[in-house]
Amino acid sequence: MYRGRFEGTQHSAQPAPTRRRRRRRRNGRLTAMVVAAMLLLALAIGGTVAWLSTTDKPIENKFLPSKVSCEVQEKFDGNVKTNVNVKNTGDIPAFIRVKLVSYRTNDAGQHIGGIAELPSFTPGAGWVKYGDYYYYTQPVAAGGFPAANLTNSMTLTENYTDADGGHQSIDVMAEAIQSVPAQAVGEAWGVSITAGSVTAYNG
């Protein structure tokens, strides 16, 4: 009987509940640490995503503007100008006009006084004189020339025999402008250009 009671007492005195409490406490701490770590990770990821979304730059569309330019091409031999024309050096079709400026120079090439009228010549096909300019009345393709020269040959006065004297010089001054829209030509040059014709621009 004594041993039986003793054994029963020993059995009931085992610290099983205490072990369970320790395990529960350890499991609770571990769970809390895992949850805390997950929260920190979530906050870190969320902060990174927010930063990326708020600092991301929009895609920029880049447009290269067209270029309009031209260059006079001519040959000069003594007092004769030949093959006077203008190249469209831009990258879009353009209308071209030319102004001829005549003046006198001395032997040193300096401007001097005296009248220097333009020599008479017939403009090439497609060229029309309007005001102080000669207009080519068809659009000229990028990198191209008017189909006809402004003039194939122009003879300048080599020596004036009046009191002012000197020699004749002629500057070929060219301009180009985009051929479309027509409004651009009208507002810039004040003219309307159609095939073989130049008239005042009316808006």
Side-chain angles (χ1 to χ4, degrees), residues 26-49:
R26 288 176 184 172
N27 290 341
R29 289 178 184 172
L30 183 60
T31 302
M33 290 174 66
V34 170
V35 171
M38 290 178 67
L39 283 172
L40 288 172
L41 184 60
L43 287 172
I45 294 173
T48 302
V49 171

Side-chain angles (χ1 to χ4, degrees), residues 53-183:
S53 64
T54 55
T55 60
D56 194 21
K57 293 182 179 179
I59 296 174
E60 295 181 2
N61 292 321
K62 295 183 178 180
F63 298 94
L64 296 176
S66 294
K67 182 182 74 170
V68 179
S69 59
C70 62
E71 179 181 270
V72 173
Q73 307 240 329
E74 62 179 355
K75 293 181 180 179
F76 193 69
D77 183 13
N79 64 327
V80 179
K81 279 183 182 286
T82 60
N83 301 324
V84 179
N85 210 331
V86 181
K87 181 179 181 179
N88 177 3
T89 55
D91 55 14
I92 58 173
F95 281 119
I96 288 172
R97 70 177 183 177
V98 170
K99 185 175 184 179
L100 299 176
V101 179
S102 178
Y103 54 93
R104 296 191 192 193
T105 59
N106 57 22
D107 291 338
Q110 299 169 324
H111 289 223
I112 61 174
I115 298 173
E117 294 183 355
L118 284 172
S120 61
F121 70 95
T122 302
W127 289 92
V128 172
K129 189 174 188 301
Y130 183 86
D132 294 329
Y133 291 89
Y134 295 87
Y135 293 81
Y136 188 69
T137 58
Q138 295 283 356
V140 178
F145 293 85
N149 293 329
L150 171 61
T151 177
N152 291 322
S153 180
M154 177 188 296
T155 302
L156 284 61
T157 301
E158 187 171 5
N159 292 294
Y160 287 97
T161 57
D162 58 15
D164 293 315
H167 321 285
Q168 185 176 28
S169 294
I170 295 179
D171 289 342
V172 181
M173 304 171 67
E175 297 177 57
I177 190 169
Q178 63 190 72
S179 58
V180 291
Q183 181 181 359

